Amino acid sequence: MKISDMVAKRTRRLLKGVARSAAVELERLRSIPGTPEELNFFYDVLEAAYVRNDPAPMLDARPDKDLFVGVYCMVVPEELIYAAGAIPVRLCAGCFESSQIGEDRVPRDGCPLVKSSMGLSMQKGLKVFDLCDIVAIPTTCDAKRKLGEELSAFKEVWMIETPHIKDADFSRRIWMEQMYALKAKLETVKRNGTRGKRINARRMAAAIQDTARAQAEMRRLLSLRSAEKPLIWGRQATAVVNAFAYAHVNRWTEAVTRLNNRLAAMAENDQPMADSGRPRIYIAGSPSLFPNLKIPTLVEEMGGVVVADESCAGDRYLYDPVGSTEKNLNDQMLGVASRYLAPCVCPSFTPNDDRLTLIQRMITDFAVDGVLYHVLKGCVVYDFEVNRVENALRNNQIPLLRVETDYNPEDVEQLRTRIEAFIEMLKSKRSRTKQAVS
C-alpha cells in the first residue's frame, strides 16, 4: 500500500471515530427528557464541527476567503481577532481518538487535552483544525508551551508569553507588549490574497461590544442556574459554552438569549428540569471538553445536578467583560489586556488566592452541597492546588471528591462507583441536616 493511501486510511479512521463519539454524546444530550428546543442550536454547532465536519456555516465564514485564527486557553483576546477581520476558533480538544495519535509527539503521561489537540493537528481532516491559518498559544503551562513547539511542524504558531505573577508591574508591562505584538501579527496574517485588517478604535469598539453581549448573556445564564429548582442540567450548560468555540459570537449570543428567555419562563411557571432534592455539585479543576462530557454526565446520572463549574471552557470562559468603553485604541488595548490577565484564576498563576475566593463565593451563591475536583492526568497545576481548595472548603463543611481521568472511556465504571458513593454521602448529609432543622 502506498504511503498516501495509508495516510488517507488513517484519516478516515480518525474522522469516523471522532464523528461516532460526538454523535453518541449528542444523542445522549438530545434524549434528555424535557430538553428545551432552544438548546438545539448549540448541539447543531457541535454536530457541524465534529459529525458533519462542516463548521463554516455556524462560524458565518467563507472557508476560501476568510482568515481563521486557532486559539488555546482563555487568555487569547478574541476581540483582537474579530477586530482584525479574522475568525477565532478555540482548538482545545476532547477527543479520545485523536489523543492516541497525539502520543506520537506528546509524552504518554502528558495532558490528554494537549494530546488530543496535537493529534487533530497532525492528522489532517477535521476542518475546524484545518481551517486555521495561524494558531495563537499562550504559555500558560508547560504542556501548552511545548505544544506550540511541536505544532509549529504543522501550522504557523504565534506564542504569547504569559506572565505567571499577575500583580507585578513588570508582568503587566510584558503582557501589554505581548498584546501589541499579537495585534501587529493579526494585522499581517495572509491567506490566498486576504490579509488581516488594520485594527483601529472603531473595529475594536465593535468587537468589544459584540463580545460583551455574549458575556452579559453568559452571566445571565449563570444567574438562572443558581435557582433552587434547577432549570438546566449541568451537562447541557457545558455543551452551551463549549459551542462558543465553533460559532460566530453574534450567532451564539442570539441563541443564548433565546435559551435564557426560555429558562426564565420555565422559572416563572415553576417548570424545573430537575427536582430540588438532588445534591448540588460544583465542578472544579480541569475542563470538560466536548465530546468528553463523562464527568458532568456521571454526576447527573448518579443523582446529582451540576449547578456551576470553574472551568476555563465552562462558566469562567465568558464571565468577565472588558472594563474599558473608551474610544481611544490605547485605552481599549489596556482594557482588553487587563480583562484577559487580572481576573484569570488559572492555577498556572502564583500566588493564586483569587481562585480560592472565587470558589468559596460560588459555593455560597449556588448553594453547593459538594465539590467534584476534576484532574486530567498530567495536568499538574490543577492537581497541585487540590489540597488548598480542600482545606478552604473544610471551613465551610463542603466535601470534596478528587477524580483523575483522561479521555479513555474505559474508566467510566470505576468513576461511576466513586461518584455514586459521593452523591449518596451528600444525600445522607442533606437528610441529617433537614432532620436537625425540623
Side-chain angles (χ1 to χ4, degrees):
M1 182 181 289
K2 295 179 181 177
I3 293 178
S4 59
D5 292 339
M6 292 172 65
V7 171
K9 184 178 180 181
R10 196 180 188 196
T11 298
R12 286 196 298 273
R13 189 186 307 131
L14 170 65
L15 295 179
K16 186 177 179 181
V18 168
R20 182 172 56 243
S21 296
V24 168
E25 194 59 50
L26 286 169
E27 176 56 29
R28 193 178 287 141
L29 288 166
R30 285 187 166 118
S31 63
I32 296 174
T35 295
E37 63 180 15
E38 287 78 4
L39 282 167
N40 287 338
F41 169 82
F42 309 99
Y43 300 160
D44 289 345
V45 169
L46 297 171
E47 185 175 45
Y50 286 98
V51 181
R52 296 200 306 271
N53 201 13
D54 183 23
M58 293 301 186
L59 289 164
D60 282 348
R62 300 162 299 175
D64 56 337
K65 294 183 178 178
D66 290 319
L67 295 171
F68 297 85
V69 180
V71 301
Y72 284 89
C73 296
M74 57 172 288
V75 298
V76 181
E78 296 189 9
E79 291 92 337
L80 274 178
I81 298 171
Y82 278 119
I87 296 172
V89 184
R90 188 167 177 181
L91 299 179
C92 296
C95 302
F96 171 61
E97 295 81 2
S98 60
S99 67
Q100 295 176 298
I101 296 173
E103 286 182 356
D104 287 350
R105 284 183 173 257
V106 180
R108 182 175 295 275
D109 294 332
C111 170
L113 184 159
V114 169
K115 286 194 286 188
S116 180
S117 303
M118 190 72 226
L120 288 171
S121 298
M122 292 166 57
Q123 193 74 47
K124 304 294 182 187
L126 197 67
K127 291 180 182 174
V128 288
F129 280 72
D130 295 350
L131 279 173
C132 295
D133 303 289
I134 184 172
V135 177
I137 305 179
T139 57
T140 43
C141 65
D142 289 345
K144 292 288 174 20
R145 187 178 298 112
K146 300 309 291 183
L147 172 66
E149 196 171 350
E150 293 296 325
L151 268 187
S152 62
F154 306 94
K155 287 279 184 185
E156 183 179 2
V157 173
W158 184 260
M159 299 300 296
I160 303 173
E161 177 60 29
T162 308
H164 295 278
I165 303 175
K166 293 188 297 183
D167 296 333
D169 288 341
F170 69 84
S171 295
R172 287 189 282 269
R173 186 170 60 252
I174 291 171
W175 188 239
M176 278 302 296
E177 291 173 357
Q178 290 294 303
M179 293 298 98
Y180 274 103
L182 176 63
K183 170 180 174 294
K185 181 62 184 176
L186 292 170
E187 291 173 334
T188 56
V189 172
K190 294 180 182 177
R191 182 197 195 194
N192 295 334
T194 303
R195 179 177 174 139
K197 298 183 185 301
R198 182 171 176 272
I199 298 175
N200 55 32
R202 180 182 59 80
R203 298 185 65 85
M204 273 291 281
I208 290 172
Q209 288 171 9
D210 287 345
T211 308
R213 282 194 286 271
Q215 292 158 337
E217 287 300 328
M218 182 65 206
R219 290 195 296 280
R220 186 177 167 217
L221 175 60
L222 263 179
S223 176
L224 289 162
R225 291 181 66 192
S226 68
E228 180 183 356
K229 297 179 180 179
L231 300 166
I232 184 171
W233 293 101
R235 54 195 191 273
Q236 293 174 324
T238 300
V240 168
V241 185
N242 274 199
F244 184 81
Y246 315 112
H248 190 280
V249 60
N250 290 338
R251 293 196 67 179
W252 187 88
T253 303
E254 291 167 5
V256 177
T257 302
R258 292 193 295 270
L259 174 64
N260 286 341
N261 291 342
R262 174 65 180 272
L263 298 182
M266 289 166 60
E268 190 173 331
N269 297 320
D270 194 22
Q271 297 174 323
M273 282 288 284
D275 65 80
S276 55
R278 287 172 170 258
R280 298 167 68 88
I281 306 298
Y282 179 80
I283 296 182
S286 306
S288 292
L289 292 159
F290 185 85
N292 177 46
L293 303 184
K294 63 182 174 184
I295 295 301
T297 299
L298 284 172
V299 167
E300 297 185 335
E301 285 181 349
M302 292 300 98
V305 58
V306 177
V307 291
D309 67 69
E310 65 139 355
S311 165
C312 54
D315 297 344
R316 196 156 52 83
Y317 187 16
L318 285 165
Y319 188 80
D320 299 294
V322 173
S324 173
T325 57
E326 300 293 332
K327 295 183 179 178
N328 177 287
L329 182 59
N330 289 332
D331 288 341
Q332 292 169 337
M333 288 293 294
L334 180 61
V336 167
S338 299
R339 176 262 183 261
Y340 282 88
L341 184 67
C344 186
V345 293
C346 173
S348 67
F349 294 112
T350 185
N352 200 28
D353 292 340
D354 291 352
R355 182 176 179 228
L356 299 180
T357 302
L358 169 70
I359 291 175
Q360 288 176 312
R361 177 170 60 78
M362 297 291 279
I363 296 295
T364 301
D365 291 350
F366 286 80
V368 168
D369 294 303
V371 172
L372 192 145
Y373 200 98
H374 174 214
V375 177
L376 284 175
K377 289 178 180 175
C379 188
V380 175
V381 288
Y382 269 117
D383 210 9
F384 232 104
E385 292 198 352
V386 64
N387 288 334
R388 297 182 68 213
V389 172
E390 188 167 25
N391 289 336
L393 294 179
R394 194 170 289 129
N395 296 331
N396 302 85
Q397 298 184 318
I398 300 295
L400 177 147
L401 174 68
R402 173 189 175 279
V403 295
E404 183 175 3
T405 181
D406 54 18
Y407 294 166
N408 192 328
E410 291 184 355
D411 65 352
V412 165
E413 292 310 315
Q414 182 186 10
L415 290 170
R416 186 190 304 277
T417 301
R418 294 189 63 207
I419 291 172
E420 182 179 23
F422 184 61
I423 299 292
E424 289 302 316
M425 182 271 289
L426 294 176
K427 286 180 178 176
S428 297
K429 185 183 175 201
R430 265 191 160 204
S431 179
R432 290 195 303 273
T433 303
K434 191 174 180 180
Q435 289 175 1
V437 171
S438 61

